[in-house]
Amino acid sequence: MRKFNYASSILAAVFIPLMILILSSNIVLRISETYVYHFNDSRATAGLAYNVTGSEFADEIAGYWSSFGGEFQVYDDNGRFSDPIFDDKETEAMRKAKIAVNLHLLLGILSGAVGLAFYTYLYRKGYREALRKRGFLAAGITAVLIIIQDILISTGSFRAMLYDRLIGVELDDKSVLVVLLGSPFYKTFIIFSSVLGLALLGIFIYIHYNLTKAKRIFY
């Protein structure tokens, strides 16, 4: 039983950081504010000859990740007509990216389910002191994982490898999708995911501290 409890505490300290890391990075891809900030900062939409604003592109991209079915496309109003902006290769790239984003979310949910299940088990069994130590270990692991993620995403070769493995659709450097979500976007992703990850970490530390703090006999 002791071995199971020890293993449970280690698993909680591993899967809770994974949950925070994955969910924070996944959430920022699903909110339009991430893309609005990127477009305003990089002026990626300024050189495009379309009657579509950065906010509209942002809403379409963010909405696509959380939509059910359908292909990614944005239309440019041209008088009485609406012309599609993205070609077949770009829509295929977004389709594969969406699969990766959804699998990434599923992994985060599963990590959270496992980590919180073991955390709840230890809490209900009354192992508060051991749980307290493992919880702060989990906080440290989370901070380290966020730093590692930022370093990896900052590396061009890693981003290229990730794209080839998960998407693998060759796009021209001047394609609209590359212009919109090309190289500068990773900087915005790092900023937003790190801030959200640290915010979630702060919430976890606050809740964990209050759940596991030693009870005072005298007040």
Side-chain angles (χ1 to χ4, degrees):
M1 193 65 180
R2 288 183 178 179
K3 290 183 178 180
F4 178 78
N5 292 335
Y6 179 77
S8 298
S9 66
I10 294 298
L11 289 172
V14 170
F15 281 100
I16 288 177
L18 285 176
M19 173 193 69
I20 295 174
L21 180 77
I22 294 172
L23 292 184
S24 61
S25 59
N26 197 277
I27 289 172
V28 300
L29 292 174
R30 297 174 182 272
I31 58 175
S32 61
E33 287 78 8
T34 303
Y35 304 98
V36 170
Y37 177 90
H38 165 63
F39 295 147
N40 289 338
D41 183 60
S42 66
R43 298 188 60 80
T45 60
L48 298 177
Y50 299 111
N51 298 314
V52 181
T53 65
S55 296
E56 290 171 332
F57 273 121
D59 289 340
E60 292 291 341
I61 294 170
Y64 177 69
W65 300 132
S66 300
S67 64
F68 296 96
E71 71 172 16
F72 176 73
Q73 190 56 265
V74 179
Y75 294 92
D76 180 41
D77 290 332
N78 183 15
R80 294 180 299 171
F81 305 98
S82 293
D83 299 325
I85 293 176
F86 299 98
D87 61 26
D88 292 341
K89 279 190 174 182
E90 290 170 313
T91 56
E92 175 64 9
M94 287 294 285
R95 185 188 70 82
K96 290 188 175 182
K98 182 177 181 178
I99 294 173
V101 169
N102 286 336
L103 289 176
H104 186 243
L105 176 62
L106 179 61
L107 181 60
I109 293 173
L110 291 175
S111 297
V114 173
L116 294 177
F118 284 118
Y119 186 99
T120 303
Y121 165 79
L122 293 170
Y123 179 78
R124 289 181 175 176
K125 287 294 183 179
Y127 301 115
R128 292 195 176 188
E129 183 61 27
L131 184 60
R132 187 174 185 222
K133 293 178 181 178
R134 293 294 182 268
F136 288 118
L137 173 63
I141 292 175
T142 303
V144 171
L145 288 179
I146 291 174
I147 293 172
I148 292 174
Q149 176 181 259
D150 291 350
I151 293 172
L152 290 175
I153 297 299
S154 297
T155 307
S157 58
F158 178 80
R159 295 198 306 274
M161 181 274 293
L162 205 61
Y163 182 87
D164 290 339
R165 293 283 182 88
L166 300 178
I167 300 174
V169 178
E170 292 188 13
L171 298 175
D172 185 270
D173 290 340
K174 295 182 180 180
S175 67
V176 179
L177 192 60
V178 172
V179 171
L180 290 176
L181 301 178
S183 182
F185 178 69
Y186 78 88
K187 298 178 183 178
T188 301
F189 173 81
I190 288 175
I191 294 171
F192 275 62
S193 62
S194 297
V195 170
L196 181 57
L198 292 174
L200 294 178
L201 176 58
I203 293 172
F204 168 73
I205 291 175
Y206 176 80
I207 295 174
H208 173 69
Y209 172 77
N210 283 281
L211 286 176
T212 61
K213 65 181 179 181
K215 293 183 177 180
R216 297 180 181 178
I217 299 176
F218 302 102
Y219 294 89

